[in-house]
């Protein structure tokens, strides 16, 4: 193999902008040449070709596993000839899903939606790469330098003293240092097989608390397969807002959509990328970014975000553990809770709780559901019954009434989610952090609790005036 050429340095040829030519031979050495929609980088020694409708190519490669691939750099028109040996075909799993998503974008770009159907992902070992002589355009000047930007992002995460601080700094760093102005961070709800938004940037509404099931859209597939997915062109079937609604309709949950927080996002993103956040025990979340510009995200940017997300995942778990054990760094004074204002409204604040899905409504408006809803109802009940306003993460973790699993359930992330939803939806009710693993309930109106238990026709009403 040419020591000056490697598939790492030629990844720009694999973006699918210009189809690659693939030459194979039958067992009796009769050649066949066809175009392939997608050549995907696997690692330094392997590539993957899309298996769609190559009847003759398929027949040849099974009889004679050697192939030659002609690749073209879309920026310079430089051509490269790659020799490879067929190893296997994958019809499911991370590599298959990555190629399927990228192929959907290419099909949309070429006006061939419904024509391209990925039957499998053919994996090849690279044997040799050579440059093909010919006219070339000058190579363009490089854009934003990735490594210095990655270093700056990493340094920002190193100085985070709380989970909320880390969420915000991660997305701010993407915007400031990498120019990724539309992004969101989602945490995993493993028991519920879904992800929920805890932070977002660049959208008219934050979408805090919005959910997406595993396996739905580019975000859900990246989470389910625990692999980064990058799409370079508009792919309608991978637009998560549409995918969530279509699943709700298919499952007969249309009426429930009015109680679902809308996902933020661009209507028709031209580039999408979802990167898993790995933890010590497996997936803990997904970082998602999108753009209206085609081919916005490169292989190098994907590598940088994979590296950053690995650091962020460990940092999130470290901060969660610190809150749980009471060993987190001391918080700045500005994060401590303040006293409730004196101009409290005399009107009662009506809070309804539905035990079936732990959903909470404030003055008739939907707020939150799931674990965050159960936590809010628990602390409001303690306030109503005993006048408590100060709570700790640890006591919630140990409260059998909440039925929380072990620390991997991201209780601290759910408290941040609850805090932000209250800030957006209920100015008279909020919770604020007061220290390491501690928070305080603040009320500005008298409280009326209405438990809407599924087995009760006339639910009891608890009223308390301590505002």
């Amino acid at each position: 193999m040419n020591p000056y050429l490697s598939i790492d340095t030629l990844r720009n040829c694999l973006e699918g902008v210009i189809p690659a030519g693939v030459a194979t031979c039958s067992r009796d050495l009769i050649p066949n040449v066809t175009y392939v929609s997608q050549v995907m980088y696997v690692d330094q020694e392997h590539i993957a070709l899309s298996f769609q409708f190559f009847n003759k190519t398929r027949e040849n490669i099974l009889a004679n596993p050697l192939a030659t691939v002609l690749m073209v750099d879309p920026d310079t028109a430089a051509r490269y000839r790659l020799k490879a040996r067929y190893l296997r075909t994958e019809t499911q799993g991370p590599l298959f899903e990555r190629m399927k998503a990228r192929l959907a974008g290419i099909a949309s770009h070429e006006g061939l939606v419904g024509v391209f159907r990925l039957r499998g992902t053919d994996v090849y070992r690279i044997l040799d790469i050579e440059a093909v002589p010919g006219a070339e355009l000058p190579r363009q000047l490089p854009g934003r330098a990735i490594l210095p930007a990655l270093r700056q992002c990493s340094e920002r995460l190193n100085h985070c003293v709380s989970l909320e601080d880390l969420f915000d700094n991660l997305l701010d760093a993407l915007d400031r240092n990498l120019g990724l102005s539309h992004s969101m961070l989602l945490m995993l709800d493993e028991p519920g097989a879904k992800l929920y938004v805890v932070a977002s940037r660049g959208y008219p509404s934050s979408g805090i608390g919005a959910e997406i099931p595993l396996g739905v859209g580019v975000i859900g597939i990246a989470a389910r397969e625990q692999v980064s997915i990058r799409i370079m062109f508009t792919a309608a079937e991978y637009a998560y807002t549409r995918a969530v609604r279509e699943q709700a309709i298919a499952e007969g949950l249309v009426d429930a959509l009015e109680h679902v927080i809308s996902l933020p996002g661009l209507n028709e993103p031209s580039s999408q990328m979802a990167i898993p956040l790995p933890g010590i025990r497996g997936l803990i979340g997904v970082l998602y970014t999108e753009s209206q510009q085609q081919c916005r995200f490169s292989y190098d940017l994907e590598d940088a975000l994979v590296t950053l997300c690995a650091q962020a995942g460990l940092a999130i778990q470290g901060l969660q553990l610190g809150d749980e054990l009471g060993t987190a760094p001391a918080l700045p004074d500005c994060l401590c809770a303040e006293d409730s204002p004196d101009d409290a409204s005399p009107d009662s604040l009506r809070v309804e709780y539905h035990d079936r899905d732990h959903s909470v409504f404030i003055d008739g408006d939907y707020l939150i559901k799931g674990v965050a809803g159960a936590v809010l109802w628990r602390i409001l009940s303690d306030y109503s019954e005993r006048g408590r306003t100060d709570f700790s993460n640890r006591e919630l973790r140990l409260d059998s009434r909440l039925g929380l699993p072990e620390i991997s359930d991201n209780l601290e992330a759910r408290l941040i989610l609850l805090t932000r939803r209250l800030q957006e939806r209920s100015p008279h009710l909020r919770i604020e952090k007061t220290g390491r693993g501690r928070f305080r309930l603040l009320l500005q109106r008298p409280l009326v609790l209405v438990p809407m238990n599924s087995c009760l026709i006339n639910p009891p009403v608890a009223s308390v005036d301590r505002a």
Side-chain angles (χ1 to χ4, degrees):
M1 180 180 294
N2 188 328
Y4 301 103
L5 290 178
S6 72
I7 198 65
D8 285 312
T9 60
L10 302 179
R11 289 194 298 180
N12 195 40
C13 301
L14 310 181
E15 295 291 11
V17 177
I18 299 178
V22 179
T24 59
C25 283
S26 63
R27 191 182 300 275
D28 51 1
L29 302 182
I30 299 175
N32 178 73
V33 179
T34 188
Y35 286 102
V36 62
S37 303
Q38 179 67 63
V39 180
M40 177 175 284
Y41 175 90
V42 177
D43 56 37
Q44 294 178 342
E45 298 180 349
H46 300 87
I47 58 169
L49 305 184
S50 56
F51 166 37
Q52 295 163 263
F53 22 62
F54 305 145
N55 295 332
K56 186 58 179 176
T57 300
R58 187 71 179 173
E59 179 183 333
N60 287 354
I61 208 67
L62 293 178
N64 178 13
L66 296 178
T68 299
V69 182
L70 181 65
M71 307 182 301
V72 181
D73 188 312
D75 295 328
T76 67
R79 295 174 298 169
Y80 302 91
R81 186 180 295 117
L82 183 150
K83 297 179 181 179
R85 177 183 292 274
Y86 169 76
L87 298 178
R88 65 184 182 276
T89 298
E90 298 184 7
T91 57
Q92 60 182 357
L95 186 60
F96 178 82
E97 293 293 347
R98 284 177 62 194
M99 180 170 283
K100 183 180 178 182
R102 295 194 64 188
L103 193 61
I106 294 172
S108 177
H109 180 66
E110 299 296 332
L112 295 172
V113 174
V115 177
F116 284 8
R117 184 176 71 87
L118 185 64
R119 300 169 62 185
T121 301
D122 291 343
V123 180
Y124 289 75
R125 178 182 295 279
I126 300 170
L127 303 178
D128 187 37
I129 301 176
E130 61 177 332
V132 178
E136 299 179 14
L137 297 173
R139 186 166 296 279
Q140 297 179 354
L141 293 175
R144 186 187 298 264
I146 298 295
L147 283 179
L150 174 61
R151 178 176 179 177
Q152 292 167 350
C153 293
S154 178
E155 289 175 349
R156 290 193 65 171
L157 296 190
N158 286 337
H159 294 92
C160 294
V161 297
S162 71
L163 203 56
E164 189 169 14
D165 189 29
L166 189 146
F167 290 167
D168 290 335
N169 269 283
L170 175 59
L171 299 191
D172 287 343
L174 296 185
D175 187 3
R176 176 172 298 185
N177 302 117
L178 291 168
L180 305 178
S181 56
H182 296 91
S183 62
M184 67 182 79
L185 182 64
L186 303 94
M187 298 298 288
L188 176 66
D189 175 5
E190 189 170 358
K194 59 191 175 185
L195 300 118
Y196 55 95
V197 178
V198 293
S200 68
R201 288 294 180 276
Y203 303 112
S205 61
S206 71
I208 299 298
E211 299 176 346
I212 187 165
L214 294 183
V216 174
V218 62
I219 299 172
I221 293 174
R224 184 190 67 194
E225 302 297 334
Q226 298 191 37
V227 64
S228 60
I229 293 182
R230 183 169 56 95
I231 303 178
M232 306 301 290
F233 304 101
T234 302
E237 61 266 46
Y238 285 87
Y240 47 88
T241 50
R242 172 179 170 179
V244 170
R245 183 170 186 87
E246 287 181 348
Q247 175 165 341
I249 292 173
E251 295 178 358
L253 301 176
V254 181
D255 292 339
L257 285 174
E258 62 183 77
H259 298 155
V260 173
I261 303 168
S262 298
L263 281 157
L266 303 175
N267 290 331
E268 294 185 358
S270 295
S271 297
Q272 301 179 73
M273 184 157 53
I275 310 292
L277 271 73
I280 297 175
R281 302 178 183 177
L283 180 77
I284 63 173
V286 171
L287 176 67
Y288 174 79
T289 185
E290 60 185 354
S291 173
Q292 293 178 324
Q293 176 185 341
Q294 292 183 349
C295 302
R296 171 63 179 85
F297 309 132
S298 65
Y299 274 110
D300 288 340
L301 180 59
E302 180 182 352
D303 288 345
L305 291 189
V306 168
T307 301
L308 187 64
C309 285
Q311 178 189 357
L314 293 177
I316 287 172
Q317 287 196 320
L319 290 169
Q320 286 177 329
L321 185 61
D323 272 344
E324 177 68 17
L325 300 178
T327 59
L331 294 171
D333 293 338
C334 61
L335 292 181
C336 295
E338 302 173 354
D339 294 332
S340 299
D342 296 331
D343 57 345
S345 170
D347 299 329
S348 296
L349 190 71
R350 180 184 175 90
V351 180
E352 294 181 6
Y353 173 72
H354 298 253
D355 64 349
R356 182 178 62 181
D357 59 357
H358 306 297
S359 58
V360 175
F361 294 76
I362 296 182
D363 288 338
D365 293 330
Y366 174 73
L367 176 74
I368 202 70
K369 66 179 179 179
V371 174
V375 168
L376 178 60
W377 185 252
R378 192 271 203 187
I379 63 178
L380 290 178
S381 298
D382 278 9
Y383 170 79
S384 176
E385 297 168 4
R386 293 181 280 173
R388 289 191 60 195
T389 58
D390 290 289
F391 302 87
S392 70
N393 297 11
R394 182 173 179 79
E395 68 175 281
L396 294 178
R397 176 68 62 192
L398 299 176
D399 191 336
S400 59
R401 292 176 294 176
L402 297 178
L404 295 174
E406 56 187 37
I407 193 169
S408 61
D409 187 61
N410 297 320
L411 171 62
E412 289 71 25
R414 296 178 188 277
L415 288 173
I416 293 173
L417 162 64
L418 177 58
T419 299
R420 295 184 172 184
R421 279 294 288 172
L422 288 171
Q423 289 172 349
E424 292 181 353
R425 309 292 296 181
S426 181
H428 303 291
L429 168 62
R430 65 183 188 272
I431 59 175
E432 293 188 355
K433 196 157 187 173
T434 56
R436 295 176 294 187
R438 298 188 301 274
F439 62 94
R440 178 174 300 156
L441 174 68
L442 298 177
L443 274 165
Q444 298 178 7
R445 288 166 55 185
L447 184 65
V448 174
L449 300 182
V450 184
M452 306 294 287
N453 297 330
S454 57
C455 59
L456 298 178
I457 298 177
N458 297 312
V461 177
S463 178
V464 60
D465 183 356
R466 293 194 179 94

